[in-house]
Amino acid sequence: MKMKLLLLSALLGFVFHVGAKTDSNPCISANAKTCGECIQIGPQCVWCKDPDFKPSRCDDIESMAKAGCTADGVENPRGAVTIDKNKPVTNRKTDGGQNLRPDEITQIQPQKVTLNLRSGEAQKFTLKFKRAEDYPIDLYFLMDLSHSMVSNLENVKKLGTELANEMKDITKDLHIGFGSFLEKLVMPYILMTPKYLKNPCFPSDCTAPFSYKNVLSLTDNHGLFTQEVSKQKTSGNLDAPEAGFDAIMQAAVCTDVIGWRNVTRLLVFSTDAGFHLAGDGKLGGIVRPNDGKCHLDNNMYTMSNYFDYPTISQLVDTLSGNNIQTIFAVTEEIREIYQELSALIPKSAVGILSTSSSNVIKLIIDAYNSLSSEVILENSKLPDGVSISYVSHCKNGVSGTGDNGRKCSNISIGDEVLFDIEITAKGCPSKGKPETIKIKPLGFSEEVEILLNYICECECHKDGIKNSPKCSGGQGTLECGVCRCNEGRLGRLCECSHDEVLADDLDAYCRMNNGTEVCSNNGECVCGTCECKKRDNPEERYSGKFCECDNFSCDRSNNKLCGGHGRCECKKCICDANYTGSACDCPLDTATCLASTNEICNGRGKCECGVCKCDENYEGPTCEICPTCPRICTERKDCVECRHFGTGSKQKTCEEDCKSYSIKKVKTKEDLPPPNINHCKERDVDDCWIFFTSSIEKDGSIQVYVAENRECPSGPDIIPIVAGVVAGIVLIGLALLLIWKLLMVIHDRREFDKFEKEKNNAKWDTGENPIYKSAVTTVVNPRYEGK
């Protein structure tokens, strides 16, 4: 007994192991034919090059060792990281003090890396960034010279020397330049009459309109900046938006003319108006897209009337590609629109343009510190199938992943931050040719150059034996233990030739009919014969001339193939004896359908798959319950009443009509046995409730159990009913009288109040009648003194 249990446990363990392997091993399911194909499936897959190795040559290393592949026979190339150039970041105290040239300052480390990438295997290296002390700065001031900017121009004239003095704590190597812009010289942007082309501000004095001109290239002569800007005058145009995008594009791409160095580059863009962008040129008949190239002749933009305004995406790419950080110095009225523009341009900031030169300098310094305190890594376009991820390690132990892994904020001069960079290739991009990508901090000229080498073949590929006798007498190269056939040869051992049968015919031999896949998509057509794929689970296999059959795709029941009661052959279950159904889940044994009467489904249904399918109105495991059969109770009520109580409509014909009824008495309804069919409650001729259960016996008789005690309704109690009616009438009468009395009192009080109000409002005139004249005339003697 113990031995049987041990064998059963071992068998179950093997089944679970095989099932787990099937779910987690893609090496075998990919059906790789060469070592190169195998290692590109994933880093977990290895190849066995042993000549006589019979199992699948592509598998995980653990399975390969168990299958008997020798240690020397395993091909498992791994990726690697090589640092080719690793110059340390600059430390002013130890690397030459203040005498370093810009090209001698290092802010990013390493500078050059080589990665050997195997498919699915990530390679990681760490990039260090340190914001250098006293790093040189190029600052180009690009100003809108429309007439409304006249007061701001006066402030900029004082900017050169003051800005250099204020920025000496940041850098002692400041180059500054100046450019100006207005608008395209076409209608409807400019009034094209000759008088206004000479002086658009007539009768005031203005310079002639222009699109963009480079007034002063970048220079360390700060006095010259003041001198040249002092010569500038404003101009005028018709509409408010200006050609600022044209100016930004030319200032960014004309590197030699502007004099940009390979240092920190700042572009200060000053205006009090909005901007035209791509598509607006159509108003002036200009439809050619901006080409993003330099078109300065004698420091003037000459193609303004030929090319449309640049798009925002063009500006983003151009500014980023030329490592230019942009500061928008604008008035309060247009601040919001430039903040939206700044959100689209990396490494850009917005400040409020003031009427004071000191405030302008503060704006530039604050914006520079804000931009320089944040480092954001950007990589060039990645080859297809290559992915990159970043993890940042910033100040105060702050780390970030995803998009936040590309950047660190609040970096002061001299701070060091680290970035873990992980690069992964999928498959073998660009057919294995090396490719180069670059990573750099936005706004900085330094970058890391990364050479990507792809591992597409195994080392044993180099040791292949051409025209090996093992490959059908020299029809292929024996490489990594398998034959790689010469052109025109097919088959595992290159035993088949294309010349023997046309390729189309070969495929036709491997199709079941014209509408099916080659080898049912479960194998390969080799020399007109299907070679079926192997499965991870050795117990599972494809079969058939066209690999159309398998032994694992049959229907399942209770998560078991063929319900555990049959075998799977060509996708159909062959059931064991006493079982049927598509998943062998239907037993033919009817023992489970026997009712307590030993009838199959109590004679009220059919036994299907070991379960009773009951007739209408019946239910239960063996169809013995009929909760919705009141008509049966009604039909049998009269016979029960006459046989047991001697009453009812069949009292006179009881012996004849009810002779098949067998009556058994119980005391109360609680004593009735559980019903086989139904439990009845019916009224008899005395309007009493009688209780009984009934069932049909094998001989056709009806067995009835009847409760002797009936539930009869009691008669009404007359005295309480009469007393209640009389009391109700009296109470209702009293209530009506009280209501009438209350209404009369309320009415009398209202009438009395009305009378009192009219009485108080009555007024009687007590004065004399103005019409009445008395008949008596009274004469008074004026000399009478009353004596």
Side-chain angles (χ1 to χ4, degrees):
M1 185 65 182
K2 292 183 178 179
M3 191 63 184
K4 290 183 178 180
L5 288 175
L6 289 173
L7 289 173
L8 181 59
S9 300
L11 180 60
L12 289 174
F14 174 75
V15 171
F16 288 135
H17 171 73
V18 169
K21 183 176 179 181
T22 301
D23 294 337
S24 61
N25 190 351
C27 304
I28 296 178
S29 58
N31 203 28
K33 297 299 183 183
T34 66
C35 186
E37 292 177 2
C38 178
I39 63 174
Q40 290 180 44
I41 298 170
Q44 76 277 20
C45 298
V46 301
W47 179 267
C48 183
K49 63 181 180 181
D50 289 344
D52 299 325
F53 190 73
K54 295 300 182 184
S56 175
R57 290 183 177 272
C58 187
D59 206 338
D60 61 79
I61 192 164
E62 181 181 352
S63 300
M64 199 67 78
K66 291 180 180 179
C69 185
T70 63
D72 293 336
V74 173
E75 283 287 327
N76 186 22
R78 312 310 298 180
V81 177
T82 304
I83 305 298
D84 301 317
K85 187 177 180 181
N86 196 31
K87 184 180 178 181
V89 293
T90 300
N91 188 332
R92 289 283 188 180
K93 296 180 181 178
T94 59
D95 297 337
Q98 306 299 324
N99 300 321
L100 294 175
R101 299 190 308 273
D103 58 349
E104 296 176 330
I105 299 175
T106 302
Q107 297 184 111
I108 191 169
Q109 178 189 1
Q111 295 81 39
K112 191 171 183 180
V113 180
T114 298
L115 302 183
N116 293 330
L117 297 175
R118 178 177 168 180
S119 177
E121 183 183 27
Q123 298 299 324
K124 182 188 295 185
F125 68 95
T126 300
L127 183 149
K128 179 190 292 185
F129 177 84
K130 178 182 179 182
R131 187 178 167 191
E133 303 94 333
D134 197 19
Y135 195 72
I137 297 175
D138 284 352
L139 188 149
Y140 191 75
F141 203 97
L142 188 57
M143 189 170 187
D144 172 13
L145 283 191
S146 56
H147 194 62
S148 58
M149 291 285 288
V150 63
S151 60
N152 300 103
L153 178 61
E154 294 301 320
N155 295 327
V156 177
K157 291 177 181 179
K158 309 171 187 177
L159 192 64
T161 305
E162 294 181 8
L163 181 61
N165 291 333
E166 291 294 332
M167 294 187 69
K168 62 184 178 180
D169 293 335
I170 299 174
T171 181
K172 296 180 177 60
D173 187 0
L174 173 67
H175 284 200
I176 189 169
F178 184 83
S180 58
F181 64 91
L182 191 65
E183 189 53 272
K184 291 182 181 294
L185 302 180
V186 294
M187 284 290 289
Y189 314 115
I190 296 291
L191 192 60
M192 297 302 293
T193 57
K195 179 175 68 173
Y196 284 98
L197 282 175
K198 292 182 180 179
N199 181 11
C201 303
F202 183 84
S204 300
D205 184 25
C206 278
T207 189
F210 58 94
S211 177
Y212 161 72
K213 62 182 176 182
N214 174 40
V215 176
L216 177 66
S217 298
L218 292 163
T219 177
D220 58 355
N221 187 344
H222 307 141
L224 181 61
F225 177 88
T226 302
Q227 179 181 339
E228 290 298 324
V229 176
S230 297
K231 299 176 184 178
Q232 303 305 306
K233 292 192 297 183
T234 57
S235 185
N237 60 308
L238 294 179
D239 64 339
E242 311 294 358
F245 279 12
D246 275 345
I248 293 176
M249 178 62 75
Q250 293 302 303
V253 299
C254 297
T255 306
D256 295 333
V257 178
I258 303 301
W260 292 112
R261 297 178 295 167
N262 199 19
V263 297
T264 298
R265 299 175 177 180
L266 297 179
L267 177 67
V268 181
F269 183 88
S270 178
T271 184
D272 65 346
F275 47 81
H276 282 295
L277 69 163
D280 290 353
K282 293 181 180 179
L283 295 173
I286 304 172
V287 296
R288 294 178 181 85
N290 196 287
D291 65 352
K293 297 180 180 179
C294 180
H295 297 288
L296 291 186
D297 185 7
N298 196 23
N299 287 320
M300 296 291 292
Y301 181 32
T302 58
M303 303 298 285
S304 167
N305 297 353
Y306 187 82
F307 288 119
D308 194 7
Y309 304 97
T311 65
I312 293 177
S313 61
Q314 278 183 294
L315 289 185
V316 171
D317 293 340
T318 301
L319 292 171
S320 176
N322 290 277
N323 305 314
I324 296 174
Q325 304 177 63
T326 310
I327 301 172
F328 295 104
V330 297
T331 56
E332 180 67 40
E333 294 80 11
I334 58 172
R335 178 179 183 177
E336 184 175 347
I337 187 174
Y338 278 93
Q339 282 180 331
E340 293 180 4
L341 176 62
S342 177
L344 302 175
I345 301 178
K347 298 292 282 186
S348 64
V350 179
I352 300 300
L353 186 63
S354 176
T355 56
S356 169
S357 60
S358 60
N359 288 337
V360 175
I361 293 172
K362 184 177 183 302
L363 183 157
I364 294 173
I365 293 176
D366 289 345
Y368 168 74
N369 288 330
S370 174
L371 293 173
S372 299
S373 65
E374 183 177 53
V375 57
I376 303 175
L377 295 186
E378 178 189 52
N379 54 267
S380 59
K381 184 179 178 181
L382 297 173
D384 292 339
V386 175
S387 60
I388 188 169
S389 64
Y390 298 84
V391 177
S392 60
H393 302 283
C394 309
K395 291 174 60 178
N396 304 320
V398 177
S399 295
T401 58
D403 289 340
N404 291 328
R406 292 175 173 265
K407 60 185 179 182
C408 283
S409 303
N410 300 320
I411 301 175
S412 303
I413 293 176
D415 288 341
E416 290 185 3
V417 292
L418 301 175
F419 296 89
D420 291 334
I421 300 174
E422 188 173 271
I423 298 179
T424 308
K426 183 178 180 181
C428 195
S430 66
K431 298 182 180 180
K433 295 180 180 179
E435 295 182 290
T436 300
I437 62 172
K438 295 180 180 181
I439 299 176
K440 68 175 183 179
L442 283 175
F444 294 87
S445 59
E446 297 176 62
E447 61 187 16
V448 181
E449 182 180 332
I450 304 172
L451 179 65
L452 305 179
N453 291 324
Y454 304 109
I455 302 174
C456 299
E457 288 289 353
C458 302
E459 287 295 323
C460 59
H461 170 71
K462 303 175 183 177
D463 302 326
I465 302 173
K466 292 185 177 180
N467 303 322
S468 172
K470 294 184 178 181
C471 300
S472 293
Q475 299 298 328
T477 300
L478 184 61
E479 179 184 301
C480 300
V482 296
C483 288
R484 178 173 287 189
C485 298
N486 296 336
E487 186 175 355
R489 302 297 296 184
L490 298 169
R492 187 173 60 86
L493 298 176
C494 309
E495 67 274 15
C496 183
S497 172
H498 276 296
D499 297 333
E500 296 173 1
V501 186
L502 295 177
D504 291 342
D505 292 335
L506 288 175
D507 288 348
Y509 294 148
C510 296
R511 295 180 189 271
M512 190 178 300
N513 53 59
N514 291 335
T516 58
E517 299 285 343
V518 174
C519 296
S520 304
N521 205 27
N522 295 324
E524 293 185 1
C525 186
V526 179
C527 300
T529 302
C530 286
E531 288 188 2
C532 299
K533 293 180 182 178
K534 294 180 180 179
R535 298 277 296 178
D536 294 350
N537 186 346
E539 299 293 326
E540 299 177 354
R541 58 188 176 275
Y542 293 105
S543 61
K545 181 180 178 181
F546 305 103
C547 302
E548 74 278 11
C549 295
D550 65 58
N551 66 343
F552 55 85
S553 296
C554 293
D555 291 342
R556 295 175 179 268
S557 177
N558 294 326
N559 204 28
K560 293 181 180 180
L561 193 66
C562 296
H565 302 297
R567 64 186 185 278
C568 182
E569 292 185 4
C570 203
K571 301 182 180 180
K572 291 185 178 180
C573 287
I574 307 299
C575 300
D576 297 339
N578 294 325
Y579 283 93
T580 187
S582 62
C584 300
D585 54 348
C586 183
L588 299 177
D589 188 6
T590 59
T592 55
C593 295
L594 289 179
S596 59
T597 60
N598 289 325
E599 282 187 284
I600 293 177
C601 300
N602 204 38
R604 302 294 183 180
K606 296 180 181 179
C607 186
E608 297 180 3
C609 296
V611 177
C612 283
K613 301 295 182 182
C614 300
D615 295 341
E616 187 178 0
N617 296 327
Y618 292 90
E619 62 182 40
T622 54
C623 306
E624 294 181 337
I625 301 173
C626 184
T628 58
C629 297
R631 61 183 182 84
I632 294 179
C633 292
T634 303
E635 290 174 358
R636 296 177 181 175
K637 185 259 294 185
D638 292 335
C639 285
V640 171
E641 189 177 359
C642 76
R643 290 294 302 272
H644 178 61
F645 298 102
T647 59
S649 60
K650 292 187 178 183
Q651 182 178 4
K652 296 180 180 179
T653 61
C654 188
E655 290 298 330
E656 181 64 25
D657 294 344
C658 305
K659 59 183 178 180
S660 61
Y661 282 70
S662 176
I663 305 296
K664 292 185 179 181
K665 302 177 182 179
V666 296
K667 191 68 176 175
T668 63
K669 64 180 180 180
E670 287 78 13
D671 299 329
L672 290 172
N676 288 335
I677 294 180
N678 48 17
H679 198 161
C680 300
K681 177 184 178 181
E682 296 291 333
R683 287 188 182 275
D684 62 7
V685 293
D686 298 326
D687 205 26
C688 294
W689 291 106
I690 60 175
F691 303 91
F692 61 92
T693 61
S694 61
S695 62
I696 300 177
E697 300 298 317
K698 290 183 179 181
D699 57 2
S701 65
I702 301 174
Q703 179 66 55
V704 180
Y705 290 85
V706 185
E708 293 183 352
N709 295 335
R710 299 183 300 171
E711 291 184 1
C712 297
S714 58
D717 193 348
I718 301 299
I719 296 176
I721 293 175
V722 173
V725 171
V726 172
I729 293 172
V730 172
L731 291 175
I732 291 172
L734 291 174
L736 291 174
L737 288 174
L738 289 173
I739 292 171
W740 176 81
K741 181 62 177 177
L742 179 61
L743 292 175
M744 292 303 297
V745 170
I746 293 172
H747 179 267
D748 291 344
R749 287 184 177 180
R750 284 181 178 176
E751 290 296 322
F752 181 76
D753 291 340
K754 182 178 180 181
F755 169 77
E756 288 292 329
K757 185 176 180 180
E758 291 177 353
K759 177 181 177 182
N760 292 334
N761 288 337
K763 293 182 180 180
W764 305 100
D765 190 1
T766 57
E768 294 181 358
N769 188 343
I771 301 176
Y772 172 76
K773 291 185 178 181
S774 177
V776 178
T777 301
T778 303
V779 179
V780 179
N781 187 355
R783 297 185 60 88
Y784 176 71
E785 297 180 354
K787 295 180 181 181

